[in-house]
């Protein structure tokens, strides 16, 4: 069964860093896109970053450009989101998701979702 599991969330002070992991099972990432999304209470789920693992293409939301980096390790079937210079407005539950085709930052384009990991940025 296709499954995505996120980990790496936690509590961090403003300006700090976290690295999130998304481990895929039941399929390989060679021909898939992985997206990272986040959802804060009372807000819509928004796209953060995406990666086409086989092609190496990456895309980022304007709000995280220069601070977040998405990367993949095909041998481990894992995608990472390195988050630096974190701000309180980055606080949210972070989800990874996958689809068969092109990179996208629209949640409605994705078919499979992980359970999410909480990121809290606060002093």
């Amino acid at each position: 069964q296709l499954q995505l599991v996120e980990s790496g969330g936690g509590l961090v002070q403003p300006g700090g860093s976290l690295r999130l992991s998304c481990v895929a099972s039941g399929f390989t990432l060679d021909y898939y896109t992985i997206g990272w999304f986040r959802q804060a209470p009372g807000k819509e789920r928004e796209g953060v970053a995406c990666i086409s693992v086989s092609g190496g293409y990456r895309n980022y939301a304007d709000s995280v450009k220069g601070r977040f980096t998405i990367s993949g390790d095909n041998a481990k079937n894992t995608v990472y989101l390195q988050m630096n210079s974190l701000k309180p407005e980055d606080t949210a539950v972070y989800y990874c998701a996958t689809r068969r085709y092109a990179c996208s930052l629209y949640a409605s384009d994705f078919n499979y979702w992980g359970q999410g990991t909480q990121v809290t940025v606060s002093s």
Side-chain angles (χ1 to χ4, degrees):
Q1 181 180 345
L2 192 154
Q3 189 174 64
L4 301 169
V5 179
E6 304 97 332
S7 63
L11 175 64
V12 65
Q13 294 185 348
S17 297
L18 287 172
R19 190 179 75 160
L20 306 183
S21 299
C22 174
V23 179
S25 62
F27 69 107
T28 60
L29 297 176
D30 294 19
Y31 302 103
Y32 288 78
T33 290
I34 295 290
W36 281 100
F37 297 81
R38 65 188 182 186
Q39 188 165 23
K43 294 186 176 181
E44 296 288 330
R45 189 168 297 187
E46 63 175 345
V48 175
C50 65
I51 183 169
S52 296
V53 177
S54 60
Y57 178 80
R58 298 166 173 86
N59 194 26
Y60 300 92
D62 289 342
S63 60
V64 306
K65 285 182 178 177
R67 300 190 297 123
F68 291 10
T69 302
I70 189 169
S71 62
D73 185 336
N74 287 51
K76 297 181 179 180
N77 232 38
T78 300
V79 170
Y80 304 97
L81 185 68
Q82 178 67 46
M83 305 186 296
N84 299 325
S85 301
L86 284 162
K87 305 174 181 179
E89 52 262 43
D90 295 318
T91 296
V93 177
Y94 283 71
Y95 301 88
C96 66
T98 190
R99 68 192 299 254
R100 180 64 177 81
Y101 305 105
C103 202
S104 173
L105 295 179
Y106 294 100
S108 60
D109 287 342
F110 287 77
N111 308 106
Y112 302 97
W113 294 82
Q115 297 301 304
T117 185
Q118 177 71 49
V119 172
T120 302
V121 185
S122 177
S123 60

